[in-house]
Amino acid sequence: MTTPSSITVTVPATTANIGPGFDCLGAALSLYNRFKFSIADSATEVKITVTGKEAPRVSTDKSNLAYQAFIKLYENINQTPPSVLLEIDLGVPLARGLGSSATAIVGGLVGANQLAGAPLSQTEVMNLAIAIEGHPDNVVPALLGGCRLTASTPTGWEICDIPWHSDIVPVVAIPNFELSTAEARQVLPTEYSRADAIFNSAHLGILLRGLETGRGEWLQAGMQDKIHQPYRQSLIKGYESVRSAALNAGAYEMVISGAGPTLLALTNSFTSSTVVTAMTEAWKNQGVVTEVQALEIDTRGAVCS
């Protein structure tokens, strides 16, 4: 097989946790980052250019996360990485709970694997991505697409494709402030009661059936959580006001996307536009500028061209 000299990897944003699915449930969304790797005839190891709204905030030296993942794959296959030109086009907001770091990790690994002649299988790339990220809920759907539930096993990871009913619309409200994953994890307790563990197990089961069937009462009940959301809500200005507005407009429920501060409401095609308007106005009344969008579930994951 002839190896390419240039490859573009398009990687979707993700929403993780989705209520009780803490660190194990995530879905790919129709927002994208693109990473183009071109082998360069240069002694310089890497040259990075970035375009997009938040381009000035992305590192353009060897500390760039996509390039770090690129290097990691070559280390894994015991090869010296080539000099590359890396062109990044940003469509996923940074540090907002939409998996921007996962897109960089997946983009770097997939790009390197293709330029190296695809020595690793998709599963091997996935395992490497999980090892870099530390947990699977963002990188797995970013790589594979769709909604995915991931569980650890004695020998690795078991990935379950979760059916997502065609009438369930994910609405994301992306505020103009950030919340780091580290900060969001610091507020979590180190231990939980048996009652809270049972609560989350039951509600995750109901959520999965709700996603499959589109039944509103199962979605509403299933998105309840006692592991992370009660502790993180105070970090997000106007959370209760935005949630009340979303529910009053017809959303089944609203939760924190990933570690936040983006908020995710699930609704249907009939009420999605009303929910978008309501969440926008609610945060505006709190003095927060936000971008609210009704998105789709991306079913393709990382795509090479």
Side-chain angles (χ1 to χ4, degrees), residues 5 7 9 24 30 36 42 45 82 110 117 142 184 192 195 230 248 262 279:
S5 60
I7 193 78
V9 188
C24 63
S30 55
K36 182 179 180 180
S42 169
E45 293 178 59
V110 171
Y192 296 93
N248 289 337
T262 292
M279 295 177 78

Side-chain angles (χ1 to χ4, degrees), residues 190-299:
T190 56
E191 296 181 349
Y192 296 93
S193 69
R194 179 187 299 176
D196 285 352
I198 293 170
F199 180 97
N200 265 51
S201 296
H203 285 75
L204 178 58
I206 293 173
L207 174 59
L208 299 183
R209 287 290 287 146
L211 291 173
E212 180 182 5
T213 62
R215 284 185 60 167
E217 66 271 29
W218 288 353
L219 290 166
Q220 189 280 328
M223 292 171 76
Q224 308 307 310
D225 162 75
K226 290 192 175 182
I227 298 297
H228 70 107
Q229 291 218 146
Y231 307 98
R232 290 174 164 174
Q233 290 171 13
S234 62
L235 301 177
I236 302 173
K237 180 181 179 180
Y239 178 91
E240 287 298 342
S241 295
V242 179
R243 177 174 178 267
S244 294
L247 297 184
N248 289 337
Y252 301 123
E253 186 53 275
M254 188 198 81
V255 294
I256 301 168
S257 177
T262 292
L263 301 178
L264 168 74
L266 297 187
T267 183
N268 59 49
S269 56
F270 296 104
T271 60
S272 59
S273 60
T274 306
V275 171
V276 167
T277 301
M279 295 177 78
T280 303
E281 289 300 314
W283 238 337
K284 182 180 179 180
N285 292 337
Q286 296 287 323
V288 176
V289 177
T290 185
E291 182 180 356
V292 186
Q293 301 181 56
L295 300 175
E296 299 176 357
I297 297 299
D298 173 275
T299 59

